[in-house]
Amino acid sequence: MPRSSYLFTSESVSEGHPDKVCDRISDTIVDAYIAAMPEARVACETMTTTNRIVIAGEVRGPEEVLDQVEDLARGAIRDIGYEQEGFHWQHAQFENLLHPQSADIAQGVDASGNKDEGAGDQGIMFGYACRETPELMPAPIFYAHRILKLMADARKSGAAAMLGPDAKSQVTIAYHDGKPTKATSIVVSTQHLDESMTSDDVREVVEPYVREALPQDWINGSTEWHINPTGKFVIGGPDGDCGLTGRKIIVDTYGGAAPHGGGAFSGKDPTKVDRSAAYAARYLAKNVVAADLADRCTIQLSYAIGVAKPLSIYVDLHGTGKVEEEALEKALGEVMDLSPRGIRQHLELNRPIYARTAAYGHFGRAPEADGGFSWEKVDLADALVAAIK
């Protein structure tokens, strides 16, 4: 029997965290290639450290985009807010090592003759949805993201101008009868530009945003607070710690509440199933829950490089299902083409919509008018119900 009462913790990191700086740069480059050529291929990795930016990877697209890469990277860093002595958008050294995509990979992925477009790599991808929040996301990761997003908005508006771009949050939620009920501990570590600020000073700035982020009755006198628990946090971002693309895959997804296949998202065009199939799995899981077929849903998809059809579709409804999991597995393959091409067309992924995903989670976000976060729509619920019947 699953436990009904327990504590569960998830963390988030801000857009100024060294790894997230790299995710943002890599996805900005993906957007630039796709904007110039929707069928472009991009696998872009970024590394940042003290006043240095290094970009490497494989691309196939208009050559003129290569000339824009340095400006794109510096623009992303400027938007995040780094104008510090140890990491400055304008003065950091820059190196671009992008090169053409491997012909061996291209021949396996490209459509030709009777062969449909294949997956860009082998792998397993998971999607998850539950009823813990209106966005059908696990509560700990959803609220950890929300704390940092509110802080970032306040920093950029000037309301909390003393805060720096680098920050982390962690929220521990108590579950009773399987439902989230309160926050037992809250951790926030945030860079501050005023060296004289103490942990108490930082808490005075941060606490209102934490309280705004969480449900009103989830914080009480027994909630533990740890705000900048190590003390001063002035040196932050890539000046304080080396950053790499793709190192925050649990932050990007479900905060540990669901399995992860291991593949990162940022820096990859949507032919890479690490990204597109993970989006499709979230889309399907969310529609299962939205259709009231279950209260919790985990979906696994698996692929082989160069092969269009998924090798397997697995569904776990965690004992909350109102339909048989085997029947649902069959229905999912009927209501959506889960080949790489089918996913891209259904979710309209060949658009420059990825830089915005690089911080505060790829899931649990509102669908946007230009197609951003299209995988968060619940427009497949009726079709799923019909397919089951």
Side-chain angles (χ1 to χ4, degrees):
M1 291 289 292
R3 294 174 62 188
S4 61
S5 297
Y6 54 91
L7 302 180
F8 195 85
T9 305
S10 295
E11 71 155 347
S12 179
V13 297
S14 73
E15 63 201 79
H17 183 281
D19 297 328
K20 282 290 149 199
V21 171
C22 295
D23 285 347
R24 171 68 177 276
I25 293 170
S26 294
D27 274 338
T28 297
I29 293 167
V30 170
D31 280 353
Y33 270 100
I34 291 178
M37 188 178 89
E39 301 297 329
R41 300 287 168 78
V42 187
C44 176
E45 311 295 340
T46 303
M47 183 190 79
T48 56
T49 187
T50 301
N51 271 331
R52 192 161 184 85
I53 310 156
V54 180
I55 295 176
E58 300 78 46
V59 296
R60 189 172 78 192
E63 290 188 10
E64 58 266 24
V65 179
L66 273 178
D67 298 329
Q68 305 168 18
V69 165
E70 181 172 353
D71 288 341
L72 291 167
R74 294 189 187 279
I77 296 166
R78 178 175 56 186
D79 185 67
I80 291 168
Y82 277 112
E83 295 186 342
Q84 299 165 21
E85 183 178 351
F87 193 70
H88 195 294
W89 67 270
Q90 195 170 21
H91 306 308
Q93 296 181 58
F94 179 84
E95 188 172 6
N96 181 3
L97 302 176
L98 290 172
H99 60 83
Q101 183 188 47
S102 160
D104 291 345
I105 293 176
Q107 72 176 356
V109 176
D110 290 347
S112 61
N114 294 324
K115 175 185 173 298
D116 194 7
E117 179 182 290
D121 202 351
Q122 71 176 47
I124 56 175
M125 297 84 207
F126 288 92
Y128 181 73
C130 61
R131 294 197 185 280
E132 294 179 16
T133 63
E135 294 77 8
L136 304 184
M137 283 289 288
I141 188 65
F142 180 80
Y143 293 116
H145 285 323
R146 194 174 181 198
I147 289 169
L148 294 184
K149 183 63 168 65
L150 290 173
M151 287 170 53
D153 290 345
R155 173 175 61 85
K156 291 182 175 183
S157 73
M162 72 293 292
L163 300 181
D166 194 356
K168 302 175 78 171
S169 66
Q170 186 169 285
V171 179
T172 300
I173 301 296
Y175 286 74
H176 183 67
D177 290 335
K179 296 180 180 179
T181 58
K182 64 179 179 179
T184 62
S185 69
I186 294 164
V187 182
V188 177
S189 294
T190 181
Q191 184 183 15
H192 51 95
L193 306 181
D194 181 349
E195 294 195 30
S196 69
M197 292 181 75
T198 66
S199 295
D200 288 340
D201 294 331
V202 174
R203 175 169 175 172
E204 188 176 344
V205 175
V206 166
E207 184 171 342
Y209 303 110
V210 175
R211 291 186 178 275
E212 181 182 350
L214 271 68
Q216 189 171 8
D217 59 346
W218 279 25
I219 298 175
N220 55 40
S222 65
T223 304
E224 295 183 18
W225 290 76
H226 302 279
I227 309 299
N228 279 20
T230 62
K232 187 169 71 172
F233 183 4
V234 174
I235 300 173
D239 187 28
D241 193 9
C242 180
L244 293 170
T245 300
R247 270 206 305 206
K248 288 291 178 282
I249 59 176
I250 300 303
V251 170
D252 284 345
T253 53
Y254 307 102
H260 197 294
F265 301 158
S266 290
K268 299 175 181 177
D269 74 78
T271 66
K272 279 73 171 175
V273 285
D274 280 343
R275 178 167 228 159
S276 57
Y279 290 173
R282 161 63 179 173
Y283 173 67
L284 293 173
K286 188 174 183 181
N287 276 271
V288 167
V289 176
D292 199 29
L293 299 175
D295 293 330
R296 289 177 62 201
C297 178
T298 299
I299 293 174
Q300 184 204 61
L301 305 174
S302 70
Y303 292 85
I305 188 168
V307 179
K309 184 180 177 181
L311 306 183
S312 63
I313 302 173
Y314 167 79
V315 174
D316 184 356
L317 301 180
H318 305 277
T320 71
K322 300 176 183 178
V323 296
E324 293 296 325
E325 285 151 332
E326 292 85 352
L328 188 52
E329 289 166 354
K330 183 174 182 293
L332 293 177
E334 294 174 354
V335 299
M336 183 175 179
D337 178 356
L338 291 171
S339 69
R341 183 196 301 273
I343 292 170
R344 287 190 296 106
Q345 291 178 342
H346 189 107
L347 297 178
E348 299 182 276
L349 296 180
N350 286 106
R351 292 189 277 190
I353 55 174
Y354 297 108
R356 70 194 74 172
T357 70
Y360 314 117
H362 291 246
F363 307 131
R365 312 278 289 272
E368 297 177 347
D370 66 349
F373 303 101
S374 60
W375 49 92
E376 291 296 311
K377 294 180 179 180
V378 290
D379 54 359
L380 204 63
D382 290 344
L384 269 172
V385 171
I388 289 290
K389 289 180 178 179

